């Protein structure tokens, strides 16, 4: 065996243990870093060819591995924008230059623009509901936008759809006089109800609905704008009906016939076209009775808080209690997460060994769920790291002894001729 080879082997062993101590140092330093994944050092033997009774010492190869797929424990917080992933997947985050990365560090807070950024300054990305119902681009990051939770926005939503369900009395007399659609002081009706709807500015508009039995199993429905009604009497209104339709009922079942109108479209003043579903109206031997009546839309209201559901949907909660979906957080994954390339800021980049990135939503496919008000701790075990540190220290010392022994033997050879 060459003495030089012996010394090189000792150096190889010291370098290997130094690398191991380096990963231990990183792990201990980041034991409290949100979403940090521990690194470890794996060794493999390096064998040199031998022959003729001589032995050539080799060394040790060092490989650093990352336990990226190993989840850390969840720690719950009081912030709704603190996010953790329970299961597989990564948040898609973006740096200031627009480059996308993967991360499990979900300690997000709003920046000066309202964008959610984590402790390293990376912005979490998702899909905007303003572009319609979000659908993921499964093989890339196209279509992703920063999640913005700015609370300075006022929201006023005009009414566009509604439902009205009521019973019209089958034993009501047929009105033979002037119908409400004629809009005269002599107009007669059987029953009346009113609905509050909203125009484009979020202002309340009160609509009067008149139900008039015009023949057996036949009713006229007329809708008027209350704001132009004659004070104290309603009729005549300052303008004609906003909409009129006819309902035909089956005499046997009391339900609408197949040929009957099943909805009514109302042009809301300074608003949108409002379609009210009347499909569940009935004509039974019972007094006029409203079972269900509601429309969408709301008056101007300010964002009060943010709620994030387990499927990653970011809702804006307004002062009036309305919840409106704003974004849906995107998740991403690769075939071999442990082969991702770790970068500064607790983020990861894909490479040829990790596989291609696939994006989707929480709760779909193999993706885990998003937990609001929680953070994923690092997966570092301090006791295990301290044990590894002691082992590395002892091994480093032993390898240094090998090197020192080789050096001493070299001194013996050098001094033989003296």
């Amino acid at each position: 065996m060459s003495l030089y080879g012996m010394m090189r082997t000792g150096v190889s062993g010291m370098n290997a243990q130094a690398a191991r101590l380096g990963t231990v140092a990183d792990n201990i330093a980041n034991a409290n870093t949100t979403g940090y994944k521990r690194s470890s050092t794996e060794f493999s033997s390096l064998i040199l060819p031998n022959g003729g009774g001589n032995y050539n010492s080799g060394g040790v190869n060092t490989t650093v591995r990352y336990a990226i797929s190993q989840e850390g424990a969840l720690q719950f917080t009081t912030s709704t924008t603190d996010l953790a992933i329970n299961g597989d997947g990564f948040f898609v985050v973006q740096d200031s230059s627009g480059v996308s990365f993967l991360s499990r560090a979900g300690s997000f807070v709003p920046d000066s623009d309202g964008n959610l950024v984590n402790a390293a300054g990376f912005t979490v990305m998702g899909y905007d509901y303003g572009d319609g119902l979000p659908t993921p681009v499964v093989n890339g990051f196209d279509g992703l936008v920063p999640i913005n939770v700015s609370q300075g926005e006022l929201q006023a939503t005009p009414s566009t759809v509604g439902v009205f369900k009521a019973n019209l009395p089958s034993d009501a007399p047929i009105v033979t006089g002037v119908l409400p659609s004629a809009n005269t002081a002599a107009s007669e009706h059987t029953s009346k109800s009113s609905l509050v709807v909203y125009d484009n500015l979020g202002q309340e508009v009160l609509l009067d609905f008149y139900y008039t039995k015009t023949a057996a199993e036949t009713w006229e429905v007329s809708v008027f704008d209350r704001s132009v009604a004659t004070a104290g009497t309603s009729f005549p209104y300052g303008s004609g009906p906003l909409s009129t339709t006819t309902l035909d009922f089956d005499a046997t079942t009391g339900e609408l016939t197949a040929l009957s109108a099943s909805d009514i479209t109302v042009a809301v003043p300074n608003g949108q076209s409002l379609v009210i579903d009347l499909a569940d109206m009935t004509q039974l031997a019972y007094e006029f009775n409203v079972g269900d009546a509601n429309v969408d839309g709301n008056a101007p209201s300010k964002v009060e808080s943010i709620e994030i559901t387990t499927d990653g949907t970011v809702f804006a909660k307004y002062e009036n209690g309305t919840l409106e979906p704003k974004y849906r957080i995107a998740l991403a994954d690769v075939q071999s997460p442990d082969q991702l390339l770790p970068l500064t800021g607790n983020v990861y980049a894909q490479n040829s060994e990790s596989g291609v990135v696939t994006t989707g939503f929480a709760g779909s496919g193999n993706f885990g769920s998003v937990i609001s008000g929680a953070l994923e701790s690092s997966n570092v075990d301090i006791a295990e790291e301290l044990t590894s540190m002691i082992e590395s220290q002892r091994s480093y010392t032993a390898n240094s002894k090998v090197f020192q022994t080789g050096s001493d033997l070299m001194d013996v050879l050098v001094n033989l001729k003296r």
Side-chain angles (χ1 to χ4, degrees), residues 62-378:
T62 305
T63 302
V64 177
R65 293 182 175 176
Y66 299 90
I68 299 175
S69 60
Q70 179 184 343
E71 292 185 47
L74 296 185
Q75 291 185 338
F76 291 91
T77 71
T78 58
S79 173
T80 58
T81 58
D82 281 341
L83 303 176
I85 300 175
N86 185 20
D88 295 337
F90 299 83
F91 296 112
V92 179
V93 296
Q94 198 174 84
D95 64 9
S96 57
S97 61
V99 180
S100 296
F101 301 96
L102 308 183
S103 179
R104 299 275 294 197
S107 55
F108 298 112
V109 295
D111 64 7
S112 58
D113 297 322
N115 297 325
L116 286 182
V117 298
N118 63 15
F122 290 90
T123 304
V124 64
M125 308 297 287
Y127 296 96
D128 192 346
Y129 268 86
D131 300 328
L133 188 66
T135 55
V137 179
V138 296
N139 62 342
F141 302 129
D142 294 334
L144 292 176
V145 298
I147 302 295
N148 189 286
V149 295
S150 174
Q151 298 187 5
E153 175 189 0
L154 280 174
Q155 180 230 33
T157 306
S159 300
T160 57
V161 293
V163 174
F164 192 87
K165 177 182 178 180
N167 179 70
L168 302 176
S170 61
D171 54 357
I174 296 174
V175 174
T176 57
V178 181
L179 298 178
S181 55
N183 190 24
T184 69
S187 293
E188 301 179 28
H189 63 276
T190 306
S191 301
K192 176 186 176 182
S193 64
S194 300
L195 279 178
V196 173
V197 300
Y198 299 91
D199 65 11
N200 293 329
L201 302 180
Q203 183 175 351
E204 292 186 358
V205 177
L206 194 57
L207 300 181
D208 289 336
F209 284 70
Y210 291 91
Y211 311 91
T212 308
K213 189 173 185 178
T214 58
E217 281 57 77
T218 302
W219 293 73
E220 179 191 84
V221 180
S222 299
V223 184
F224 290 84
D225 178 7
R226 170 74 68 83
S227 66
V228 296
T230 300
T233 61
S234 295
F235 284 108
Y237 286 78
S239 59
L242 300 174
S243 184
T244 301
T245 193
T246 300
L247 302 180
D248 295 315
F249 292 93
D250 187 298
T252 303
T253 64
E255 298 178 349
L256 292 176
T257 64
L259 299 179
S260 173
S262 59
D263 58 50
I264 185 170
T265 301
V266 180
V268 178
N270 191 36
Q272 303 294 312
S273 179
L274 170 63
V275 179
I276 299 179
D277 185 1
L278 303 175
D280 291 328
M281 295 286 288
T282 60
Q283 180 192 250
L284 303 173
Y286 193 80
E287 63 185 7
F288 177 73
N289 179 68
V290 178
D292 186 19
N294 65 79
V295 295
D296 66 347
N298 61 267
S301 183
K302 192 175 182 179
V303 176
E304 183 179 58
S305 62
I306 295 296
E307 293 186 8
I308 303 176
T309 58
T310 56
D311 66 356
T313 303
V314 180
F315 286 91
K317 185 177 182 180
Y318 291 87
E319 293 173 329
N320 59 8
T322 303
L323 283 175
E324 181 182 0
K326 292 292 186 179
Y327 302 93
R328 192 164 182 188
I329 296 171
L331 297 186
D333 206 355
V334 294
Q335 288 85 350
S336 181
D338 290 340
Q339 298 295 332
L340 286 168
L341 178 64
L343 299 173
T344 301
N346 213 5
V347 297
Y348 307 98
Q350 63 174 324
N351 53 52
S352 58
E353 295 181 354
S354 66
V356 178
V357 168
T358 301
T359 58
F361 293 132
S364 64
N366 295 324
F367 291 110
S369 57
V370 173
I371 308 298
S372 176
L375 294 173
E376 181 180 357
S377 304
S378 73

